[in-house]
Amino acid sequence: MPAIEERVDRLESLMEQTQLMFQGLILQMNKDTREMKKEINNQWEKIVKKLGTLVEDMVIPNIEFIAKKYFNLKNGRIYTRTKIYNPLDNAEQREFDLIALYSDKIILVEAKSNPKPEEAKEFIELIKSGTFFKYFPEYAEKELIPIFASFHIPENVIKKLSKNKIYAMGIKEDTMDILNRELLEH
């Protein structure tokens, strides 16, 4: 009988060791899973940020073409992702996606990767309220040409922009172009 008891004791000891090893593996797997989730979230964050700037990256080389072709503007100064404080209230800060300065006109571009109607509405309000000139009072005498840009702008958003005399800029054929050209005829 002592041999059986010895075997049972060894078996119990082996079971305990196996259980401890199994628990250790589970803990390690949980730790690895948390680290992987963290890394995946970091990668997603980078992708989302890049998507956010992808439209801006497409607009930048095309804005000079648009300025020259439709507004006869040349040799402007182009500023991208401009962060500025309100000169009257340093607690207020704003970022403008693209500002193209010319002698008597300014092109202001709001770029969105996936435009929502409320984002277009916010840009319309920004234009109507004169918010741009609140941040840049030194340009108050210049004509503002507002452009809302994206890869694809839904037709209802284009209509709303057109109604408010804001140009819609999107992919057309192989480049970006003005989508609501009827505004150019006025």
Side-chain angles (χ1 to χ4, degrees), residues 1-150:
M1 284 295 213
I4 293 178
E5 282 181 26
E6 196 177 301
R7 284 184 173 171
V8 168
D9 288 345
R10 270 193 284 153
L11 188 56
E12 285 176 349
S13 175
L14 188 59
M15 289 292 287
E16 283 177 26
Q17 289 174 0
T18 303
Q19 189 173 11
L20 288 173
M21 237 175 47
F22 185 68
Q23 288 173 343
L25 285 173
I26 288 175
L27 289 173
Q28 185 62 45
M29 203 167 70
N30 287 340
K31 180 183 173 195
D32 292 346
T33 301
R34 281 191 304 275
E35 288 174 6
M36 279 183 7
K37 283 181 181 178
K38 187 176 178 180
E39 181 59 30
I40 288 169
N41 287 339
N42 287 339
Q43 292 302 319
W44 272 115
E45 186 178 329
K46 287 177 185 177
I47 290 169
V48 167
K49 282 182 182 178
K50 187 59 189 163
L51 279 176
T53 61
L54 192 57
V55 174
E56 293 170 23
D57 293 342
M58 288 285 294
V59 168
I60 294 166
N62 285 288
I63 203 64
E64 289 180 282
F65 165 76
I66 297 289
K68 185 177 181 182
K69 181 176 179 180
Y70 296 113
F71 306 105
N72 199 29
L73 299 172
K74 300 176 197 156
N75 304 322
R77 289 181 287 156
I78 297 175
Y79 301 95
T80 59
R81 300 175 190 110
T82 303
K83 289 183 183 177
I84 186 165
Y85 288 95
N86 180 341
L88 301 176
D89 182 0
N90 272 348
E92 285 184 39
Q93 182 186 21
R94 217 185 130 76
E95 181 175 322
F96 295 96
D97 294 336
L98 186 140
I99 302 169
L101 297 176
Y102 296 90
S103 61
D104 62 339
K105 293 179 175 60
I106 297 171
I107 296 177
L108 176 64
V109 179
E110 179 74 12
K112 298 292 180 192
S113 58
N114 185 19
K116 296 171 183 61
E118 58 270 14
E119 291 171 326
K121 187 177 177 184
E122 287 171 15
F123 187 61
I124 291 166
E125 184 54 37
L126 177 126
I127 299 305
K128 284 183 170 182
S129 68
T131 298
F132 176 81
F133 293 115
K134 187 168 81 171
Y135 285 86
F136 293 98
E138 65 272 25
Y139 301 133
E141 300 302 315
K142 294 182 185 253
E143 178 188 343
L144 185 65
I145 301 169
I147 299 177
F148 189 82
S150 185

